[in-house]
């Protein structure tokens, strides 16, 4: 424990609401007996007004050097109280805020005796924690004006474009061969039928569109945004350094198709003899070993599935490619990036309904998930926008 700790505990009764459930006299008596507690105050609120003045007065007079506040607006209260005690001369990280209303009284209103015991336990924990806290000093250090965004779904794309348009150098990396993530598979969203992958217009667009307008991520030219470099088929393998200056190693797996040479003719896809289930379309159709998810993806360049491809045994795609864009010997490469900050926007995986046996997802082919339905509704999807039973395609 830090030497000479003097804890002040400030209990808000929420304008008299909490004592209807919690025994405040018992709580105050209990808290006064906790070693290290030198002051216990009660008021209707402590995060502003007269309440916060009591905290500041105790800090300024040196009566307390640690502060525990039981307040019903924990987030806002914590910010206000921390700022105020800092102005009063106490390090703002020596404050602990607990929520006796939403975390205790309200959920246990039917059992007030037990709720009172829980409130005592919460306050004991807060006091013991604040006794162990040590001041954290603010430091300033240079920060590189560049950022890495991990995840090329809708959230990652939005973050990357916003930062790039603010003037930061941005790297957007996506582990799949194409951008879009789950949102791209979802097709359109209820109730506006907006394309799911449309993004909110950034503030820099307010001259041409309203602030609430949305725009197509592809037509808006994500690949043309200055300062934004996109790496698909890539994953982070190492992060070193400190906040403000990270060195990130990214492994870029081979696409086997040169993005700068491909003209998007799709002749390679037509020529490829290998067909495999199409995961992007939830297995509702097949695709070739060289493929592109849907017409509007970025990059608009096919990728070769190395688990399905027969490579030099076949090489039909190489023969038909008019621009010599395919290199079946391409290797993975490591790319080193230097960035000041990292945004992780890796999204989520669709829930596997087979773990809930009552759904019979594994038993009946016509039990489908939301994304399987979405792929069917999508005009570019496996059924061309028709909703069909997977079992008989009717
Ligand atoms: S080399 Fe692979 S991708 Fe190319 S046509 Fe043959 S199987 Fe398809
Ligand atoms: S055949 Fe060549 S140019 Fe045409 S889509 Fe395939 S890789 Fe691109």
């Amino acid at each position: 424990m830090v030497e000479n700790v003097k804890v002040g505990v400030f209990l808000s009764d929420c304008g008299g609401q909490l004592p209807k459930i919690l025994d405040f006299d018992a709580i105050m008596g209990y808290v006064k007996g906790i070693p290290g507690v030198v002051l216990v105050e009660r008021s209707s609120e402590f995060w502003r007004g007269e309440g916060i003045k009591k905290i500041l007065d105790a800090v300024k007079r040196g009566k307390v050097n640690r502060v525990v506040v039981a307040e019903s607006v924990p987030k806002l209260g914590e910010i206000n109280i921390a700022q105020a005690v800092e102005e009063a001369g106490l390090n703002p990280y020596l404050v602990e805020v607990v929520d006796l209303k939403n975390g205790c009284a309200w959920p246990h209103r039917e059992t007030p005796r037990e709720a009172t015991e829980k409130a005592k336990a919460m306050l004991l924990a807060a006091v013991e924690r604040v006794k162990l806290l040590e001041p954290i000093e603010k430091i300033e250090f240079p920060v590189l004006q560049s950022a890495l965004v991990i995840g090329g779904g809708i959230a990652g794309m939005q973050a990357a474009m916003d930062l790039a348009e603010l003037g930061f150098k941005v790297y957007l990396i996506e582990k799949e061969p194409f951008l879009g993530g789950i949102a791209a598979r979802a097709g359109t969203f209820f109730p506006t039928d907006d394309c799911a992958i449309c993004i909110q217009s950034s503030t820099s667009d307010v001259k041409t569109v309203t602030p609430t307008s949305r725009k197509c991520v592809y037509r808006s030219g994500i690949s043309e945004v200055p300062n934004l470099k996109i790496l698909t088929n890539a994953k982070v393998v190492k992060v070193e350094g400190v906040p403000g200056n990270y060195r990130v190693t990214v492994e870029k797996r081979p696409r086997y198709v040169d993005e700068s040479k491909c003209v998007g003719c799709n002749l390679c896809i037509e020529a490829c003899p290998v067909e495999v289930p199409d995961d992007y379309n939830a297995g509702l159709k097949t695709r070739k070993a060289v493929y592109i998810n849907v017409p509007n993806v970025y990059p608009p360049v096919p990728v070769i599935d190395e688990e399905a491809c027969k490579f030099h045994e076949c090489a039909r795609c190489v023969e038909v490619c008019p621009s010599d864009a395919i290199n079946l010997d391409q290797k993975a490469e490591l790319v080193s990036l230097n960035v000041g900050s990292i945004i992780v926007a890796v999204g989520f995986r669709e829930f596997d309904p087979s773990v809930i046996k009552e759904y019979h997802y594994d038993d009946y082919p016509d039990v489908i998930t939301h994304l399987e339905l979405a792929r069917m509704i999508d005009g570019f999807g496996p059924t061309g926008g028709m909703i069909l039973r997977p079992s008989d395609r009717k």
Side-chain angles (χ1 to χ4, degrees):
M1 190 174 89
V2 182
E3 294 292 311
N4 300 321
V5 163
K6 296 180 284 185
V7 182
V9 180
F10 300 86
L11 298 170
S12 159
D13 64 16
C14 281
Q17 294 290 310
L18 297 190
K20 293 176 184 171
I21 298 165
L22 304 176
D23 182 343
F24 255 62
D25 290 338
I27 291 171
M28 290 188 69
Y30 173 77
V31 172
K32 282 176 184 167
I34 300 174
V37 173
V38 297
L39 177 70
V40 181
E41 292 268 10
R42 172 178 168 177
S43 180
S44 61
E45 61 178 8
F46 276 106
W47 68 284
R48 60 182 179 178
E50 292 304 311
I52 205 165
K53 284 183 187 164
K54 288 185 182 174
I55 299 176
L56 297 186
D57 182 60
V59 171
K60 282 180 183 167
R61 288 165 178 265
K63 286 164 77 176
V64 302
N65 57 17
R66 298 287 188 284
V67 172
V68 170
V69 187
E71 189 49 90
S72 58
V73 282
K75 262 286 158 252
L76 189 57
E78 196 163 350
I79 294 167
N80 267 14
I81 294 162
Q83 284 175 346
V85 299
E86 186 174 22
E87 286 167 20
L90 184 67
N91 188 281
Y93 299 101
L94 301 180
V95 175
E96 185 71 8
V97 177
V98 289
D99 181 0
L100 288 189
K101 186 174 85 173
N102 300 299
C104 183
W106 270 201
H108 303 300
R109 66 179 74 212
E110 307 301 331
T111 51
R113 188 185 310 218
E114 287 80 359
T116 297
E117 292 308 308
K118 179 178 175 181
K120 290 179 186 175
M122 290 171 72
L123 289 164
L124 174 62
V127 169
E128 293 303 328
R129 182 170 191 274
V130 85
K131 281 155 65 173
L132 295 172
L133 294 180
E134 296 194 20
I136 300 174
E137 300 305 329
K138 291 178 183 168
I139 56 171
E140 290 192 7
F141 51 85
V143 174
L144 292 174
Q145 299 293 297
S146 55
L148 168 67
V149 179
I150 304 173
I154 186 64
M157 286 192 287
Q158 178 86 58
M161 289 181 78
D162 285 351
L163 284 173
E165 289 176 8
L166 285 169
F168 294 95
K169 174 72 186 170
V170 183
Y171 301 93
L172 172 63
I173 72 162
E174 165 58 43
K175 72 176 177 5
E176 299 295 332
F178 304 99
L179 293 183
I182 295 278
R185 292 168 63 193
T188 54
F189 277 169
F190 177 83
T192 58
D193 265 355
D194 269 331
C195 169
I197 206 161
C198 282
I199 59 173
Q200 197 74 35
S201 293
S202 62
T203 49
S204 60
D205 271 340
V206 292
K207 289 186 191 137
T208 51
V209 292
T210 68
T212 54
S213 291
R214 296 159 68 84
K215 62 183 179 182
C216 171
V217 73
Y218 301 119
R219 282 199 295 272
S220 69
I222 188 168
S223 60
E224 306 305 320
V225 176
N227 302 334
L228 175 57
K229 182 167 175 55
I230 300 168
L231 299 172
T232 52
N233 228 11
K235 65 176 182 181
V236 171
V237 291
K238 197 188 324 176
V239 177
E240 300 166 291
V242 293
N245 189 354
Y246 293 106
R247 282 178 305 286
V248 182
T249 306
V250 174
E251 182 190 36
K252 186 157 172 37
R253 293 188 301 281
R255 186 176 202 90
Y256 303 102
V257 178
D258 187 332
E259 293 177 34
S260 64
K261 289 183 179 174
C262 176
V263 295
C265 65
N266 289 350
L267 289 176
C268 53
I269 299 173
E270 289 168 22
C272 179
V274 175
E275 290 201 27
V276 292
D278 183 357
D279 290 341
Y280 180 82
N281 282 305
L284 294 168
K285 66 185 259 297
T286 58
R287 63 157 168 78
K288 298 293 184 69
V290 56
Y291 69 99
I292 195 161
N293 279 345
V294 282
N296 291 330
V297 287
Y298 181 84
V301 172
V303 61
I304 288 181
D305 174 352
E306 52 193 8
E307 287 182 13
C309 177
K310 295 180 178 170
F311 287 97
H312 289 288
E313 269 180 45
C314 166
R316 296 258 295 272
C317 52
V318 179
E319 291 163 20
V320 299
C321 179
S323 58
D324 198 21
I326 299 177
N327 174 8
L328 296 178
D329 298 315
Q330 193 179 38
K331 299 281 183 270
E333 58 178 307
L334 294 179
V335 180
S336 185
L337 307 175
N338 209 197
V339 294
S341 53
I342 299 173
I343 293 177
V344 179
V346 292
F348 64 96
R349 282 202 195 99
E350 190 183 25
F351 176 69
D352 175 7
S354 62
V355 300
I356 299 179
K357 298 299 174 198
E358 291 91 326
Y359 292 163
H360 293 283
Y361 180 72
D362 282 344
D363 301 330
Y364 304 121
D366 294 334
V367 176
I368 60 173
T369 67
H370 159 248
L371 277 182
E372 287 166 343
L373 176 65
R375 293 314 307 137
M376 283 196 243
I377 293 172
D378 187 349
F380 292 118
T383 59
M386 299 285 290
I387 299 175
L388 303 175
R389 282 191 301 258
S391 61
D392 58 6
R393 300 270 161 177
K394 290 184 181 167

